Amino acid sequence: MSDTPQMKFTSLEEIDVIHATLHRSFKAGKLKSIAARKIQILQLAYLIQDNYDAFKAAFTKDLGRPTLETAFMELDATIGDCKIAYDRVEKWARTEKAPFTLNFAASNPVIRKEPKGVVLSISPFNYPVWLSLGPMIGALAAGNCFVLKPSELSPAVSGLIAELVPKYLDSDVVRVVLGGIPEATRLLELPWGHIHYTGSGRVARIVCAAAAKTLSPVSTELGGKSPVVVDPKCDLKTAANRIMWGKCTNAGQTCVSPDYILVQEDAQDAVVQALKEAHDRFYPSGPSIPNGFGRIVNRAHFLRIKGLLDRTAGEIAFGGETNESEKYIAPTIVKGVKGNDSLMSEEIFGPILPIVPVKDVDEAIAFINARDHPLALYVFSQDAAFKAKVFDNTQSGSAIANDTLVHCAVDGLPLGGTGPSGSGYQTRKYTFDLFTHLRSSLDSPGWLDKVFGSRFPPYTARKEATLKSLLGVKLPPRPREVTNGAVKSLVLSDGGWSGKRIVTLFVGLAIVAALTQVGVVGSMWKSVVTLL
């Protein structure tokens, strides 16, 4: 195996063969059993562990990324996600009972967890292991077959994945398609059980339009401009450390990277000073040294980011150095930025952090709400009311207080956007759920028609009355209209169920639930039927 394999693009004819092969495998039930799924998940973990150093070298070639970031943010995180799925897939896939209702308990309503089919995942260059293999873990855990189309912009990592997958995983279950626009276009012409796309909003529109032609379900993770609202009274040293880390990790090429700061104008200089001190602590010898700070993925992205900086009307507080031959842009803070600035025209996706001064938190909230909903929104404050005001009056994929980026690694939290920042949720169980079809199921006994036979024609008033007595709903009292000066509004009525009725209801439900557990509910229904 070479250290950094070159990408050999998949032919369009081979894409058709891959699609047909995996559909045959899915129909044959290759991953029906939990044991088969766990084998593939475990093999995926060993794919990374056995080739740890090769992945580090590939990341260095593609992104110039420090090896600690590669290990912490991608390799160890993905191995950890494999272990979580391996340990929990049996629980995740277990058939669930529907909520108990006396009317339908005898039909045993359940929710079956079933795979969607063959999943296509189109992943980006910026986290080419975690955002490529993470969806693969969830899809395999759910019992799907999987086609990965990794980014051509990270050829060393993508090529390494393509080389290793057939050595560790069943080729009838998982395939990797290498290529650019023609290969992606051919993939999108085919029907899929689910398409998952991570990248830009511009390409997402193309993906969704293509998927609509085959009615393939789609989920997207699109990023956007994630704001940071800074309370001037917060712990500025801690805030600066975490903001700078979130911005500088992977040279700012992170979908949930802090994109701009909103802070009161009279506190702007204090924030700049705190960020400068954090920068100097992080890079005592400067950020340009090898293995100290990442590089921009390619020349086109370098020129795009540099162009945003060149056109800004803001003031560069520190940083600003660039080197095209090395695709290097220094961590840069730009202050005094206005809403119509070049740095606010698109997601920066680089190590430049503009500061937008505002009058107060209300103006910060209005500024955020005037733009697309971001994938993440960060607030730094020790004031609970301040945090609540920002979170309660904005929309974003995530709402994070006093840290950046780390929410993606928290077990039990979903990662997902809203509106233009994406649709659907991923990470660990949420990825399993994303690629799982919830299939409703029940099994009604014949004798139940003695109870619900009134549903059948010919229809009569008596049958309608019978069904209403069985299934009719008694609503709570209507909301009351109240007047406060010239303002009229509706409030909930005080009336409702008395404490005695609630206690009686719960006792009755407890008895029925207990009877259900011991299999008595069917006999009870039959006894009722004999009395009708």
Side-chain angles (χ1 to χ4, degrees):
M1 178 175 60
S2 56
D3 291 334
T4 52
Q6 296 300 309
M7 287 179 63
K8 182 177 183 300
F9 284 10
T10 307
S11 70
L12 301 186
E13 295 75 19
E14 189 179 355
I15 289 173
D16 293 342
V17 173
I18 289 171
H19 183 265
T21 299
L22 265 60
H23 273 82
R24 282 195 301 270
S25 297
F26 178 75
K27 290 178 180 178
K30 294 280 287 189
L31 292 180
K32 275 283 188 183
S33 74
I34 299 299
R37 302 177 193 184
K38 293 180 74 170
I39 288 171
Q40 297 302 309
I41 293 168
L42 191 56
Q43 283 291 97
L44 185 54
Y46 278 109
L47 179 154
I48 302 170
Q49 182 170 292
D50 293 348
N51 301 278
Y52 206 86
D53 291 339
F55 273 111
K56 280 187 173 181
F59 272 99
T60 298
K61 183 169 184 178
D62 283 340
L63 291 161
R65 186 193 286 176
T67 54
L68 184 148
E69 287 185 12
T70 295
F72 175 58
M73 302 294 288
E74 296 231 38
L75 302 182
D76 293 339
T78 308
I79 292 172
D81 287 351
C82 285
K83 181 61 164 58
I84 288 172
Y86 181 88
D87 290 341
R88 302 179 191 174
V89 61
E90 191 166 4
K91 179 181 178 182
W92 293 348
R94 193 174 297 151
T95 297
E96 289 184 10
K97 288 186 175 293
F100 177 83
T101 61
L102 187 58
N103 289 329
F104 297 105
S107 298
N108 190 32
V110 297
I111 303 167
R112 296 166 56 98
K113 311 288 186 63
E114 299 192 354
K116 291 186 172 182
V118 182
V119 170
L120 169 64
S121 180
I122 302 174
S123 61
F125 70 82
N126 58 324
Y127 286 84
V129 165
W130 192 65
L131 290 176
S132 294
L133 303 188
M136 186 185 294
I137 297 166
L140 293 174
N144 301 278
C145 294
F146 191 85
V147 174
L148 170 65
K149 195 287 179 186
S151 175
E152 68 275 21
L153 301 184
S154 49
V157 176
S158 295
L160 182 59
I161 290 173
E163 180 179 343
L164 293 173
V165 161
K167 296 179 180 180
Y168 284 81
L169 302 175
D170 186 344
S171 293
D172 288 337
V173 170
V174 178
R175 293 290 188 93
V176 178
V177 171
L178 297 178
I181 294 175
E183 292 73 21
T185 300
R186 181 60 189 137
L187 286 166
L188 291 170
E189 290 171 350
L190 300 169
W192 302 93
H194 191 106
I195 298 172
H196 182 64
Y197 170 75
T198 302
S200 70
R202 178 183 62 81
V203 176
R205 290 180 175 88
I206 298 171
V207 171
C208 291
K213 295 179 181 179
T214 60
L215 295 181
S216 298
V218 182
S219 54
T220 59
E221 193 267 274
L222 307 177
K225 295 183 73 65
S226 296
V228 183
V229 181
V230 176
D231 179 356
K233 295 178 287 187
C234 76
D235 177 354
L236 272 183
K237 181 177 180 179
T238 299
N241 276 340
R242 295 176 180 181
I243 294 169
M244 282 299 291
W245 175 73
K247 171 51 74 171
C248 293
T249 295
N250 201 31
Q253 298 166 111
T254 304
C255 56
V256 290
S257 174
D259 195 89
Y260 63 97
I261 292 176
L262 294 164
V263 67
Q264 284 183 208
E265 188 169 7
D266 58 4
Q268 180 178 216
D269 289 342
V271 170
V272 169
Q273 181 60 33
L275 293 170
K276 180 65 168 64
E277 291 170 1
H279 171 277
D280 294 346
R281 286 192 295 271
F282 289 178
Y283 309 109
S285 301
S288 63
I289 61 172
N291 202 37
F293 185 76
R295 299 300 188 261
I296 304 305
V297 67
N298 63 15
R299 182 172 180 270
H301 278 275
F302 170 89
L303 293 176
R304 177 189 64 81
I305 298 166
K306 185 176 183 298
L308 296 176
L309 183 61
D310 290 343
R311 297 191 301 274
T312 183
E315 176 187 346
I316 296 178
F318 65 85
E321 299 84 12
T322 64
N323 185 323
E324 184 175 342
S325 65
E326 294 187 8
K327 297 173 291 186
Y328 167 75
I329 298 177
T332 302
I333 302 297
V334 182
K335 69 177 187 176
V337 173
K338 298 187 182 302
N340 60 356
D341 193 84
S342 61
L343 293 173
M344 299 304 297
S345 64
E346 61 181 86
E347 183 179 5
I348 295 171
F349 223 63
I352 300 169
L353 186 60
I355 300 179
V356 179
V358 292
K359 181 177 63 176
D360 53 27
V361 67
D362 292 315
E363 186 178 341
I365 290 170
F367 191 93
I368 293 167
N369 288 337
R371 288 154 177 80
D372 287 345
H373 305 322
L375 187 56
L377 187 157
Y378 302 108
V379 174
F380 283 85
S381 177
Q382 279 67 56
D383 184 341
F386 187 98
K387 289 178 282 191
K389 184 169 188 176
V390 175
F391 291 158
D392 291 349
N393 293 282
T394 55
Q395 288 180 266
S396 61
S398 302
I400 309 301
N402 297 313
D403 217 327
T404 61
L405 306 192
V406 296
H407 59 288
C408 300
V410 177
D411 186 16
L413 289 184
L415 173 64
T418 178
S421 58
S423 59
Y425 305 95
Q426 60 178 314
T427 65
R428 294 160 287 277
K429 184 179 184 296
Y430 293 97
T431 313
F432 171 91
D433 292 341
L434 183 68
F435 300 130
T436 296
H437 171 59
L438 302 180
R439 192 178 184 189
S440 300
S441 180
L442 56 78
D443 185 1
S444 285
W447 58 261
L448 203 56
D449 285 349
K450 296 294 185 180
V451 180
F452 292 116
S454 295
R455 60 181 166 148
F456 300 129
Y459 301 138
T460 65
R462 181 176 180 180
K463 287 183 176 181
E464 182 178 349
T466 300
L467 290 173
K468 188 175 290 292
S469 68
L470 290 170
L471 303 173
V473 176
K474 181 175 174 58
L475 294 175
R478 293 178 184 276
R480 294 182 294 107
E481 185 178 90
V482 297
T483 302
N484 184 7
V487 179
K488 292 183 178 180
S489 60
L490 294 176
V491 298
L492 293 176
S493 299
D494 295 332
W497 286 22
S498 67
K500 182 177 180 180
R501 291 186 68 190
I502 292 173
V503 170
T504 302
L505 173 65
F506 275 103
V507 170
L509 289 176
I511 293 171
V512 172
L515 292 173
T516 302
Q517 293 298 318
V518 298
V520 176
V521 71
S523 299
M524 181 181 70
W525 267 114
K526 290 179 181 178
S527 298
V528 171
V529 169
T530 60
L531 298 175
L532 294 177

